[in-house]
Amino acid sequence: YTLVGTYPGDANYAEATAELEFDVLPIDVIVTVEDVEVAYPNAGSVSITASATGTYTIKIGDKTYTAEITEAGQTVTVDVDGGLDVGKYPISVSAPETENHTAVDIANAATYTVTKAASTMTVTYNAENETFTVTLEGVDEGLSESYHIFVDNEDYGEGLTEEGVEEISFADLGPGKHSIFVIFEGNDNYLGSYAQTSFDLPKLETAEVNITAEPIKEGEDAVIEITVKDKETGAGLTGVVTVTLD
């Protein structure tokens, strides 16, 4: 701008004029963005306040959003898509220079934090077929993850859920009361979880006892043969047999 000052003169002095050129510089824009924390894989939102009107570009990870500030000092909330992996993401804000305001280019205006989500594990004993159903759930989805198995405090190795479910069984457990403990240690996006239950295995009812003996005369020694086997498989069984004579 050019400022002109004119003195019209008087009885003693002639007219005089002076000029001054000066600049009105664009002012800096004040931008405020609050930190955000959400649990995976939920959607979130970012609130931005700016001292000048205009279109502001917001970047979080590989996603870009825009906020329209229509009044100086206005706060606008922008929805952020879900699905970001767990971690901390800088929130960057930019806007072009205008006639009255400088450009905005803030690389770390705030932090968008995605925390690990809770997982849920259950284990259910199916008495009808003596199996166990292990389920592992995340947020609205079944998780395909490995987990560890302990039966009666003994390490039974790992299992693997497919889309959140696996059915397992144990062939070497004898009759009696047992306990099972399964644990998921977590992954990049989910916290760990565990489940446990106890169950009773009944004794098998397939034992068959056969007794054979040849006729004898009074005073002779008798030979009695006793066999015990599984009547379904034919496998011989071990143990103590009590014999009584009427």
Side-chain angles (χ1 to χ4, degrees), residues 31-105:
V31 175
T32 302
V33 181
E34 299 293 331
D35 289 337
V36 179
E37 183 175 298
V38 298
Y40 174 88
N42 296 331
S45 62
V46 171
S47 294
I48 175 174
T49 304
S51 62
T53 61
T55 301
Y56 292 80
T57 300
I58 302 168
K59 290 197 68 174
I60 304 171
D62 59 355
K63 300 288 186 178
T64 300
Y65 308 90
T66 58
E68 292 290 341
I69 303 293
T70 58
E71 297 180 7
Q74 180 184 15
T75 298
V76 172
T77 299
V78 177
D79 292 332
V80 177
D81 298 336
L84 285 172
D85 287 337
V86 168
K88 293 182 179 292
Y89 300 85
I91 302 174
S92 67
V93 179
S94 62
E97 183 178 357
T98 64
E99 184 179 359
N100 295 321
H101 298 92
T102 59
V104 175
D105 188 9

Side-chain angles (χ1 to χ4, degrees), residues 122-126 131-135 165-168:
T122 60
V123 57
T124 305
Y125 177 56
N126 312 306
T131 62
F132 301 86
T133 300
V134 178
T135 61
V165 180
E166 185 184 31
E167 188 173 275
I168 56 177

Side-chain angles (χ1 to χ4, degrees), residues 1-3 20-27 99-100:
Y1 293 89
T2 300
L3 176 65
L20 174 67
E21 291 188 355
F22 65 97
D23 295 323
V24 178
L25 301 175
I27 63 173
E99 184 179 359
N100 295 321

